[in-house]
Amino acid sequence: GMTVKRKKLAGKLHGSDFFPFVLFTRMPAKQQTSLTSFFSGGKRKVSSVSRSPSPAAKRSKVETKTEITTIMATEEVEIVETITETKMEETVEVTPVSTDSEQSSVPQSKCLVKELEWRTKNLPEFQKTEAAMELSEFSQQQSTQQALRYKNTKFDPVEEATWQPGEPVPYLAVSRVMNAIDNTTKRLEIIELFSQFIRTVIVTTPSDLLKVIYLCTNQLAPSYKGIELGIGESILMKAIAESTQTSLKGIKSLYHKKGDLGTVARECRSAQRTMFKPKALSVQKVFDAFYEIALMKGHSSTSRKVDKIKGLLVCCQEYESTYIIRSLGGKLRIGLAGQSVLIAIAHAFMLTPPRPLSVPCEEGQHPLVLKLRAERKLSESELQTHLLRAESIVKQVFYQLPSFELMIPQLLAGNLLSLEEVCPMTPGIPLKPMLAHPTKGISEVLQRFENMTFTCEYKYDGERAQIHRLEDGSIKIYSRNAEDNTEKYPDLIELMPQIIQDATKTFVIDCEAVAFDTETKKILPFQVLSTRSKKAVQKEDIKVQVCLYAFDLIYLNGESLLKAPFSERRKALYSAFAEEEGKFTFATHAEMTDTEEIEAFLNKSIEDLCEGLMVKTLEVDASYEPSKRSHNWLKLKKDYLDDVGDSLDLVIIGGYKGRGKRTGVYGGFLLACYDAENDEYQSICKIGTGFSDANLAEFAEYFKSRELLEVPTYYRIPETGLPDVWFSPDRVVEVKAADLSISPNHKAGMGLVDPNKGISLRFPRYLGTREDKKPEDATDASQVATMYRAQANKQSDILPHDDL
DNA sequence: TGTGGCTGCCC
DNA sequence: ATTCTGC
DNA sequence: GCAGAATGGGCAGCCACA
């Protein structure tokens, strides 16, 4: 049974479900004044669960919305809090919709009818309905792994929505959720906030759900559709400057101070408010605006984009501008990304199941969602089991069909439990490729794979190529990030028929495309591969030949092999395809368990111009695990090993102001080697990884007294990407790199290996500070050149030179 | 028409 | 790509 | 150990502008 008590709130409340902002619409004005801290941007949150709003409060829903901005300005006072308490033998009421008399208050409006029509239109063929949501199907096995969630689940998505059922979802609501999520680092809390928001969309305006998901994952479409905003920091700053009548310089300096353009946009705006409130933004409007921006091309497209952004900015209230700008900048950085979104979706659809169309809507029921569990009481462990089950289904499905466009309509059709069948793996939809965990040595590999059979493969230095053959026989090639690279590789498309065996029809293979010198029959460096054209390539124009190294088979003749162990997948790969020398080869591999043997194989891989080894189990934990979810593969590279690989001692000559979580400290530095010949410092690379937070704080303090007003004449500095602040040469840091490269930008060793170009580092990272070294003791330009030559010798001097 | 800056995407 | 950090 | 967010070099492609 449930009891409701009135309590005084004395600080932060944990564990209750809430939408703080929603409360404004439902609490008497006197109490609303207490909720300032939420909107004032402070960390502290005040939460509340309010169960039985008075009819008067309910009716005033729309009117009270307008009061929010005034509330922001008031002081925080004591709050009277209504919370829900449950007894020891706790049961959790999972209510997809209101169960009491308020139920009938759900407007059966024209808007909702439209939602239903939308659903009919957008829902593919319908399977498994009636019993689909019967919870008793679940096993009652308990999980001990994760903490219980949704403890006092008395969340009513109909009540909590700040907009009416069937109305467009306001972008304001989305931005408020983003802000709430932004203000916590707790993942469970993030997931809960987002899943509850999804629930409100499911019961009100499900036709907006896909767009909500896209906005919150910062996508416009699946990446293989190649729809890009073409907006970056520069254009954003221009738009912010113009819309706030601030100089570009002013915006830049604010950006340095705040570390976030979104914040800059919001603060500039509030400084000069317009008299008239433009029409509020909706999810639909914002999404459409983003989409239009992405489609703008050709002459004056940039200024049209700027205008569009300005148009959005004038309509913004509260935190909307922050998240619009962050979205356009490509990084939401609120702590919610792919994995958490999937979990939130799963929980939302488990707790608020849409009513399948085949299930008639009975009198007094909500037209969009099932009332199935209205009377049903679940114990917390039961609830937990259901949530985990949903989580596992949604994740599994997204791994085999990573498309919200296809998954969301099925979920809205009430197909959560049959999702795996209605969303099968489909050639033509790229999977997130399986990734590998870096290991620091053979001993770590052996330790991780103790008592398991494993195989070692060459790790090729090229570009991931996931090649699909669709039902219609066409071939598609996708990149590591699911971009469509088909038109980049007409040569590979042409090659395919030669290597596909007769019995092989549809498939998905995992390969590395590597630049290849057909004369010497040797692998070429990544830098050569990257010079290939990307768009509308004609076979005759190809200058860099490519060899495919295939290493996995994920789908064959209509069947997913995701769950098959690697031993089987590889066997199937070998029989489904035929090698073609210099064009299509299976990745070199060997099975061994002995440390010395592995070391020898690692060395051999380097001699054969590879990056190192991939180590994969053959039987146990040997399924194909897409995405970053599980790094069951291991990678072993020479530069991971201590005391192996190129390590340099370099001088810090400049700093870059940090952004995001590095606001207020330097986020990166410009490094130089010392050139004794000319007694000057030559830029070699920037560095921004390898620092702990403590390191960065110490660096910021250290360089406070070493800032220079101008660039010293004895600095040879890069063409682009100049530091925000110059430093006197003083601190020497130890840096590790995977490779050295001829640089179009940096100046180290200029004239020593290339007349006009310097040398830079590939994958530089900070190892530590060399307190013992003076800047003149840093790695010398000639040493850098020597290191480059040593590496180039191994590659038999392959890099192209300018014809000068 | 050539060049440089910006963006997205490879690693 | 590499790396660090809160959970 | 996961998930997310900091940050690297360097290429093609596109657009603004001289």
Side-chain angles (χ1 to χ4, degrees):
Chain A
M2 311 279 267
T3 57
V4 178
K5 282 186 186 174
R6 304 211 110 213
K7 273 198 177 179
K8 275 196 178 176
L9 181 74
K12 190 168 168 175
L13 257 188
H14 273 288
S16 54
D17 292 335
F18 67 100
F19 259 178
F21 44 85
V22 167
L23 296 173
F24 296 127
T25 65
R26 299 176 36 217
M27 294 168 74
K30 269 181 199 166
Q31 290 178 18
Q32 288 177 7
T33 56
S34 62
L35 288 161
T36 46
S37 66
F38 184 77
F39 282 109
S40 60
K43 264 287 179 194
R44 181 163 171 266
K45 288 184 192 172
V46 183
S47 56
S48 166
V49 171
S50 178
R51 284 304 303 153
S52 305
S54 71
K58 228 175 127 53
R59 258 182 272 114
S60 65
K61 201 167 189 170
V62 179
E63 292 86 329
T64 47
K65 264 189 215 169
T66 55
E67 293 176 25
I68 290 167
T69 40
T70 41
I71 294 159
M72 288 170 68
T74 60
E75 274 292 273
E76 185 173 348
V77 297
E78 190 185 60
I79 172 175
V80 176
E81 186 74 319
T82 317
I83 64 159
T84 306
E85 284 208 340
T86 50
K87 287 183 178 173
M88 278 297 284
E89 188 58 56
E90 196 164 42
T91 60
V92 181
E93 203 172 301
V94 183
T95 43
V97 293
S98 309
T99 59
D100 48 42
S101 57
E102 290 172 53
Q103 174 77 45
S104 55
S105 73
V106 174
Q108 305 281 341
S109 63
K110 276 181 195 163
C111 290
L112 270 187
V113 173
K114 264 194 231 156
E115 287 298 321
L116 280 168
E117 282 169 3
W118 176 88
R119 187 188 278 184
T120 323
K121 256 191 307 191
N122 286 274
L123 297 189
E125 81 275 41
F126 194 70
Q127 290 124 329
K128 303 208 179 185
T129 51
E130 262 79 2
M133 291 312 299
E134 252 320 310
L135 294 173
S136 52
E137 284 179 16
F138 293 128
S139 71
Q140 293 298 310
Q141 140 216 352
Q142 297 214 8
S143 165
T144 53
Q145 286 190 339
Q146 279 169 298
L148 289 174
R149 293 171 224 166
Y150 301 91
K151 272 205 162 174
N152 297 308
T153 305
K154 286 296 284 179
F155 178 84
D156 183 332
V158 176
E159 277 304 303
E160 299 296 331
T162 54
W163 62 98
Q164 296 298 316
E167 284 183 353
V169 177
Y171 185 74
L172 186 61
V174 172
S175 69
R176 284 170 174 175
V177 181
M178 288 179 174
N179 196 235
I181 290 170
D182 207 1
N183 280 329
T184 179
T185 54
K186 294 185 169 60
R187 258 197 299 150
L188 297 184
E189 203 173 309
I190 287 171
I191 289 164
E192 189 168 322
L193 281 165
F194 192 49
S195 90
Q196 287 176 344
F197 184 66
I198 294 173
R199 292 170 69 190
T200 63
V201 178
I202 293 173
V203 298
T204 55
T205 321
S207 57
D208 272 352
L209 183 57
L210 182 59
K211 279 157 282 186
V212 166
I213 302 285
Y214 271 146
L215 286 175
C216 293
T217 51
N218 216 11
Q219 278 186 295
L220 282 173
S223 25
Y224 59 87
K225 293 202 175 164
I227 295 166
E228 305 303 331
L229 282 167
I231 296 280
E233 268 176 13
S234 288
I235 293 175
L236 281 180
M237 286 193 284
K238 203 178 162 201
I240 296 169
E242 285 181 22
S243 87
T244 60
Q245 281 119 42
T246 314
S247 70
L248 201 54
K249 263 192 178 171
I251 297 295
K252 278 181 185 166
S253 108
L254 265 177
Y255 183 26
H256 281 162
K257 206 178 295 169
K258 301 288 176 181
D260 171 40
L261 273 181
T263 306
V264 172
R266 181 175 58 84
E267 293 189 353
C268 283
R269 205 195 124 55
S270 61
Q272 59 122 47
R273 279 207 156 261
T274 38
M275 297 276 271
F276 305 99
K277 224 180 194 172
K279 199 155 177 261
L281 294 169
S282 65
V283 161
Q284 177 80 52
K285 267 196 218 168
V286 173
F287 187 83
D288 287 350
F290 287 0
Y291 213 93
E292 283 169 41
I293 288 173
L295 296 182
M296 289 175 183
K297 292 209 164 81
H299 182 62
S300 82
S301 61
T302 303
S303 63
R304 269 154 40 223
K305 288 181 184 193
V306 168
D307 290 343
K308 195 89 201 171
I309 298 169
K310 282 154 67 182
L312 283 172
L313 286 178
V314 288
C315 297
C316 286
Q317 358 169 17
E318 296 178 22
Y319 287 86
E320 285 181 328
S321 50
T322 299
Y323 298 103
I324 282 179
I325 291 296
R326 283 200 202 168
S327 291
L328 292 169
K331 273 179 298 181
L332 228 29
R333 39 162 271 269
I334 56 178
L336 175 89
Q339 295 305 111
S340 306
V341 167
L342 290 180
I343 299 174
I345 290 172
H347 290 185
F349 279 94
M350 175 54 75
L351 295 171
T352 304
R355 183 175 59 81
L357 287 175
S358 60
V359 176
C361 182
E362 284 166 28
E363 186 65 29
Q365 281 184 338
H366 189 288
L368 298 179
V369 295
L370 285 175
K371 202 191 160 190
L372 210 98
R373 275 163 286 156
E375 258 68 60
R376 196 183 188 113
K377 308 271 184 176
L378 291 174
S379 74
E380 286 208 350
S381 69
E382 283 171 323
L383 176 63
Q384 182 68 5
T385 306
H386 298 331
L387 292 175
L388 284 173
R389 174 96 166 96
E391 212 175 300
S392 129
I393 292 171
V394 168
K395 280 186 170 180
Q396 181 55 45
V397 165
F398 201 74
Y399 296 142
Q400 68 191 29
L401 191 80
S403 164
F404 288 122
E405 293 182 333
L406 299 175
M407 189 173 82
I408 296 295
Q410 289 292 354
L411 284 168
L412 287 171
N415 287 344
L416 172 61
L417 294 190
S418 54
L419 204 59
E420 292 199 49
E421 292 107 80
V422 296
C423 293
M425 182 176 169
T426 309
I429 310 288
L431 296 128
K432 315 274 173 189
M434 186 160 175
L435 302 176
H437 180 92
T439 51
K440 284 187 77 71
I442 295 165
S443 59
E444 186 187 343
V445 170
L446 293 175
Q447 200 182 326
R448 282 172 181 269
F449 286 171
E450 207 178 12
N451 301 324
M452 299 186 208
T453 54
F454 61 84
T455 182
C456 300
E457 270 174 8
Y458 278 10
K459 184 180 191 303
Y460 295 89
D461 191 8
E463 182 177 26
R464 198 84 176 250
Q466 192 181 87
I467 307 182
H468 293 222
R469 191 196 212 187
L470 284 55
E471 295 285 349
D472 64 4
S474 63
I475 304 282
K476 289 275 179 189
I477 301 178
Y478 300 100
S479 77
R480 171 192 152 129
N481 293 314
E483 299 289 328
D484 189 341
N485 270 353
T486 307
E487 60 175 81
K488 179 177 175 181
Y489 290 114
D491 43 347
L492 296 182
I493 303 294
E494 193 182 288
L495 168 73
M496 280 298 134
Q498 299 168 45
I499 56 135
I500 297 172
Q501 301 286 41
D502 288 345
T504 304
K505 305 299 177 198
T506 56
F507 62 78
V508 176
I509 52 175
D510 207 352
C511 313
E512 191 81 5
V514 183
F516 195 80
D517 186 330
T518 47
E519 309 259 306
T520 62
K521 300 199 188 305
K522 277 188 168 174
I523 285 171
L524 297 172
F526 175 78
Q527 237 184 319
V528 174
L529 179 71
S530 66
T531 63
R532 271 183 70 122
S533 314
K534 294 162 193 244
K535 296 202 162 171
V537 178
Q538 297 300 307
K539 214 222 159 196
E540 314 82 70
D541 302 337
I542 293 173
K543 296 192 181 74
V544 176
Q545 298 305 315
V546 156
C547 180
L548 270 180
Y549 291 89
F551 54 83
D552 214 322
L553 174 64
I554 310 167
Y555 186 95
L556 181 62
N557 295 340
E559 285 196 38
S560 163
L561 297 179
L562 282 175
K563 288 172 179 165
F566 184 47
S567 59
E568 274 178 34
R569 299 200 307 273
R570 192 164 71 182
K571 208 185 288 172
L573 173 70
Y574 286 0
S575 41
F577 297 89
E579 288 188 314
E580 176 96 14
E581 203 198 339
K583 294 190 170 172
F584 182 93
T585 318
F586 300 124
T588 299
H589 70 92
E591 280 72 59
M592 61 200 90
T593 52
D594 185 83
T595 303
E596 280 75 35
E597 278 183 87
I598 297 174
E599 192 178 351
F601 197 52
L602 172 62
N603 288 328
K604 191 159 170 291
S605 80
I606 308 286
E607 277 169 36
D608 289 342
L609 306 171
C610 288
E611 286 188 298
L613 298 179
M614 299 290 291
V615 192
K616 307 172 179 179
T617 57
L618 286 165
E619 312 292 343
V620 180
D621 285 338
S623 53
Y624 193 96
E625 302 287 336
S627 152
K628 285 181 186 173
R629 164 169 74 140
S630 176
H631 291 184
N632 282 351
W633 289 348
L634 303 180
K635 55 179 166 179
L636 185 56
K637 295 178 30 173
K638 277 235 143 170
D639 58 287
Y640 295 161
L641 311 179
D642 292 329
D643 310 318
V644 190
D646 294 316
S647 166
L648 300 86
D649 298 319
L650 301 167
V651 186
I652 298 183
I653 62 170
Y656 302 84
K657 306 264 185 182
R659 302 156 191 194
K661 63 184 178 185
R662 294 197 181 166
T663 303
V665 295
Y666 290 107
F669 301 93
L670 180 62
L671 301 182
C673 66
Y674 178 62
D675 181 24
E677 190 84 16
N678 303 299
D679 191 25
E680 62 187 23
Y681 294 92
Q682 302 172 331
S683 79
I684 184 166
C685 68
K686 296 197 284 180
I687 191 147
T689 193
F691 308 102
S692 67
D693 292 352
N695 287 153
L696 290 172
E698 192 271 330
F699 274 75
E701 182 63 30
Y702 182 87
F703 283 110
K704 247 184 196 167
S705 58
R706 288 169 176 80
E707 296 184 1
L708 301 177
L709 293 173
E710 292 193 346
V711 200
T713 52
Y714 51 92
Y715 280 4
R716 297 291 158 261
I717 59 176
E719 309 282 331
T720 60
L722 296 182
D724 300 317
V725 185
W726 294 102
F727 302 138
S728 49
D730 188 74
R731 180 163 269 198
V732 178
V733 291
E734 188 182 0
V735 164
K736 177 99 100 172
D739 276 311
L740 291 87
S741 57
I742 297 293
S743 173
N745 196 23
H746 289 287
K747 305 297 177 190
M750 196 163 79
L752 297 182
V753 290
D754 183 293
N756 305 307
K757 292 175 178 174
I759 292 166
S760 189
L761 306 181
R762 191 184 188 197
F763 310 146
R765 58 261 198 193
Y766 170 83
L767 291 185
T769 300
R770 291 297 302 259
E771 312 267 10
D772 57 318
K773 283 206 168 183
K774 289 190 161 50
E776 311 86 58
D777 304 327
T779 303
D780 185 86
S782 63
Q783 292 175 285
V784 175
T786 304
M787 291 171 91
Y788 178 82
R789 284 192 209 100
Q791 168 194 302
N793 282 339
K794 278 193 224 163
Q795 297 169 356
S796 48
D797 197 21
I798 272 153
L799 283 177
H801 291 284
D802 285 352
D803 303 334
L804 283 175

